[in-house]
Amino acid sequence: MTHAAALASLVALQACLAAWFLSARAPGTDAAWSGLPLDDAWIHLVYGRSLAHHGLPYYNVGQLEAGFTSPLWAVVAAAAVLVSDFSGLSVAVALKLLCLLSGIALTLGIYELTRTLVGGVLGPLVAGLLTVLTPGLVFAQLSGMEVSLAAALSAWGLHALRLDRHRAAGLLLGLSVITRPELVLLVGCAIAAAALFSQPGGARRLVRLAWLAGPTVVLLALWAAYCMAVSGHPLPNTFYAKFSLMQQDHGPVDRLREMFAWLPMPLLVLAAALWIAAAALAQRWGSDATAAVLAGPWVLVAGLALTRDFPPASASYFYWLRYMLPGVPLMYVPVAVACELLSRQLAFGRGGRPAGVLAGVALAVGLLWRLPLDLPAARDTYAWNCQNIDEVQVAVGRWIAENTPADAAVVVNDAGAICYFGGRRTIDLIGLNYHPLAFDKPRLIRTVGSASELRAFMQEQRADYLAVFPKVFVEALDSPEGRRFFIPLHMAQSAHYTVAPTDAQDVKVVMQRVR
C-alpha cells in the first residue's frame, strides 16, 4: 500500500465514522446532528459570535471577559458563526464540521509524525487507525470543542521538530498552547528534548531553541496581557474558578488512577518497551522529537492530575476526558513505531519480508481489536449528550428569549446556551464568565448557599431572573427564605442524563426574584 492510499483510507474511514455518529438516534431525535454535547461549546460560540459580529470577544455585548480557555477555538467558533450566516447551516452544524476538519488534520499529523520517525507504511497506518478508531477521539472531533485542533497542532509541531524546522515547530506548538493551555507541558518537553539532543552549534543552537520557544512565550504573553486588561489577573477566569491543588478528598494519586483506568495501559507499556528494544536494534535512538513523543504525553497527564479535580468515574465521561485526550494520539505513536520496527527486524530473518509484515500486522490487530467494540456505546452517549444539552440548557435559553423583556438580566450557573439563545444580559454565578466572582470565592459560596445573599447579588446586578440547577442551589432555594424570595416560572428536564455522573444537572429552573 502506498502512503497516498493509506491516507485516503484513513480519511474515508474517519468520515464514515463521523457520519455514523451524527446519524445516531438513540434518544429518538436528530440531536446528534443538530446539537452539541457540552454547554462549553456554546460558551465558545457566545464569544465567537461577538468576534464575528463586533470584532471583540464580548460575553455580553460591550462586556469583555476572559471566560474562554481557548482563544484560538474562539476564533474557530467565530468562523463557524460566519459560515452559518452565509450558508444557512445551523451554527452547531457549522462548528462541528470545522471540528471534524481539525480531527482529520490530527489523523494526517499523527500519520506523518510516525512516518518521519520510523518510515514505512505499516507503522503510520497503525498510528492513524488507533487515532481514527478511539471512541473518545471520534466523540471529540464532533463535540464542537478544541480537543482535536489542540492535538493536531501538537502532532504537526512535533513533525516539524523531527524535520529540524524549528520555526514551524515553534509556531505550531505555540498555537497548540493557546488552544489547550495544559499543552505548555508538552511544549516544555519538546524544548528540553531539543536542548538535550540537538547537535552542538553554539549560537546557532541557541537561535533554534529561541525559534522553538519564542512563539509560545509571545502568544502566552499576549493572552496574559488581555486577561490582565479585562480582569486584572494574568490567567483566564476558568483557571481561578476551577483550579485545585491536592484536594483533601481526592488527591493527585486518585486523579491519576482515574485517568489511567481509561488508558489502555498494557498496550502503551508494551509499545514503549518494544520501541526502545527495536530502536536500539535499529540504531535509531536519540532524536529530540522521539524524546518529546515518549515523555510529553505522560508529563501532560501528570500535570493534569496535579491541577484538576477528576471525580470518581470521570474517565467514563467526555466532560472530563477531554482534558487528557490531546495527549492520547501521541501515546499511540510508540505502538505504531514498535509495529513497524518489529516487522522490519523480522523481515531479515528466515521468513523474509512476508513474515515480518505478518508479525507487524498481527501485533497491530492485537492492539486494535478492542477499539471498534467500544464505538457503538460512545455513539449512543454522544447522541444522548446532545439531547441532554438541548433539553436543558438550550430549552431554557429559548424560553428566556420568548418570555422575558428584551432588557432583562438573568443570573445563571451554566452560561453557554442560555446566553447564546436567551439574548439577555447574562451574569455567570460561578464566575467563569463574570470575573469578580471567580476571584471572590467566599462570596460565591455564600451566594450559592443563602437565599438572602443570592437575592442581594441579583439586586446588585439589577437582575430579575434566575436560571440554575435547583439541586445545586437546594440550600438556598429549598428554604423558607428561598420560597419567599423566588417565584418558579419554568422547568426544563432531561430524563436520561449522560453528560456527567450526577443527577444534579438534569433539571434547570427559571425563577423570578421578588422585588
Side-chain angles (χ1 to χ4, degrees):
M1 179 182 284
T2 65
H3 288 294
L7 287 170
S9 299
L10 288 171
V11 172
L13 176 59
Q14 191 164 9
C16 289
L17 285 174
W20 183 52
F21 264 58
L22 293 173
S23 66
R25 295 187 63 86
T29 69
D30 69 345
W33 166 258
S34 61
L36 291 167
L38 290 181
D39 190 61
D40 300 63
W42 289 110
I43 290 177
H44 279 97
L45 281 169
V46 169
Y47 289 104
R49 181 173 60 184
S50 293
L51 276 172
H53 294 168
H54 304 286
L56 289 170
Y58 297 132
Y59 181 67
N60 296 302
V61 175
Q63 173 197 333
L64 288 172
E65 268 295 352
F68 47 102
T69 309
S70 174
L72 190 57
W73 195 248
V75 174
V76 174
V81 170
L82 294 175
V83 169
S84 176
D85 290 345
F86 288 103
S87 69
L89 286 173
S90 76
V91 70
V93 172
L95 183 62
K96 286 197 281 192
L97 291 177
L98 294 177
C99 195
L100 176 59
L101 290 177
S102 69
I104 292 172
L106 167 60
T107 300
L108 300 180
I110 289 295
Y111 184 99
E112 291 298 332
L113 172 60
T114 308
R115 181 181 175 185
T116 59
L117 286 169
V118 74
V121 175
L122 177 62
L125 184 59
V126 169
L129 283 171
L130 285 165
T131 301
V132 168
L133 293 173
T134 296
L137 292 172
V138 181
F139 196 123
Q141 71 184 8
L142 301 171
S143 66
M145 297 296 290
E146 69 277 5
V147 174
S148 295
L149 179 60
L153 290 167
S154 300
W156 282 107
L158 292 176
H159 172 263
L161 180 62
R162 173 65 175 172
L163 298 177
D164 291 326
R165 297 172 182 169
H166 288 77
R167 295 186 185 185
L171 178 59
L172 290 165
L173 292 173
L175 290 172
S176 77
V177 172
I178 62 165
T179 306
R180 247 340 307 158
E182 298 90 351
L183 288 175
V184 70
L185 298 171
L186 177 66
V187 175
C189 287
I191 295 169
L196 288 171
F197 291 104
S198 293
Q199 294 296 320
R204 185 179 177 185
R205 183 182 187 185
L206 292 177
V207 168
R208 289 199 299 267
L209 291 174
W211 278 116
L212 185 59
T216 295
V217 173
V218 171
L219 290 170
L220 285 179
L222 291 173
W223 178 224
Y226 171 83
C227 293
M228 284 291 295
V230 170
S231 69
H233 293 75
L235 298 174
N237 303 344
T238 48
F239 175 85
Y240 302 99
K242 292 184 176 181
F243 178 82
S244 59
L245 181 59
M246 297 186 180
Q247 296 204 357
Q248 295 179 355
D249 59 338
H250 201 233
V253 174
D254 295 318
R255 301 174 199 177
L256 280 171
R257 188 182 298 116
E258 288 293 335
M259 289 182 281
F260 288 157
W262 176 82
L263 287 171
M265 289 299 294
L267 178 153
L268 298 174
V269 172
L270 173 64
L274 286 172
W275 187 357
I276 293 170
L281 289 171
Q283 297 181 348
R284 296 177 63 90
W285 184 257
S287 80
D288 45 8
T290 298
V293 168
L294 280 172
W298 301 104
V299 172
L300 173 63
V301 169
L304 286 168
L306 289 171
T307 59
R308 291 276 181 167
D309 187 19
F310 291 87
S314 57
S316 301
Y317 295 85
F318 180 76
Y319 183 89
W320 285 283
L321 188 60
R322 60 188 163 128
Y323 295 112
M324 66 174 295
L325 278 173
V328 169
L330 296 177
M331 295 178 181
Y332 290 155
V333 173
V335 178
V337 171
C339 289
E340 178 66 38
L341 291 179
L342 180 64
S343 68
R344 195 175 299 168
Q345 292 299 317
L346 291 177
F348 292 103
R350 180 179 299 178
R353 181 168 178 77
V357 172
L358 285 174
V361 170
L363 176 60
V365 171
L367 299 174
L368 283 164
W369 71 272
R370 177 68 189 176
L371 293 177
L373 300 182
D374 294 332
L375 285 169
R379 177 181 183 246
D380 287 348
T381 300
Y382 175 82
W384 273 113
N385 281 192
C386 293
Q387 180 74 10
N388 297 155
I389 298 300
D390 281 353
E391 288 179 337
V392 180
Q393 287 86 349
V394 173
V396 168
R398 293 187 186 280
W399 187 92
I400 287 171
E402 296 170 2
N403 295 277
T404 63
D407 61 349
V410 186
V411 170
V412 304
N413 77 317
D414 226 16
I418 292 176
C419 183
Y420 191 91
F421 289 99
R424 304 295 184 260
R425 185 168 68 89
T426 306
I427 301 97
D428 184 358
L429 193 54
I430 305 304
L432 300 180
N433 300 281
Y434 182 68
H435 64 266
L437 279 180
F439 311 121
D440 191 359
K441 290 189 178 181
R443 183 173 188 189
L444 190 157
I445 293 169
R446 293 196 307 271
T447 303
V448 170
S450 165
S452 58
E453 288 281 354
L454 181 56
R455 184 184 185 220
F457 176 76
M458 292 179 67
Q459 288 173 331
E460 287 179 18
Q461 300 297 321
R462 300 187 303 280
D464 290 327
Y465 298 93
L466 177 70
V468 295
F469 298 124
K471 297 176 186 177
V472 174
F473 288 76
V474 64
E475 189 176 350
L477 299 179
D478 191 18
S479 67
E481 277 190 335
R483 287 187 286 272
R484 188 167 72 251
F485 292 157
F486 302 102
I487 302 170
L489 299 177
H490 178 70
M491 182 181 76
Q493 184 171 11
S494 186
H496 181 63
Y497 196 80
T498 60
V499 176
T502 175
D503 61 356
Q505 299 178 18
D506 61 342
V507 178
K508 187 174 278 287
V509 295
V510 182
M511 309 185 85
Q512 187 170 16
R513 173 176 62 89
V514 175
R515 289 180 177 270

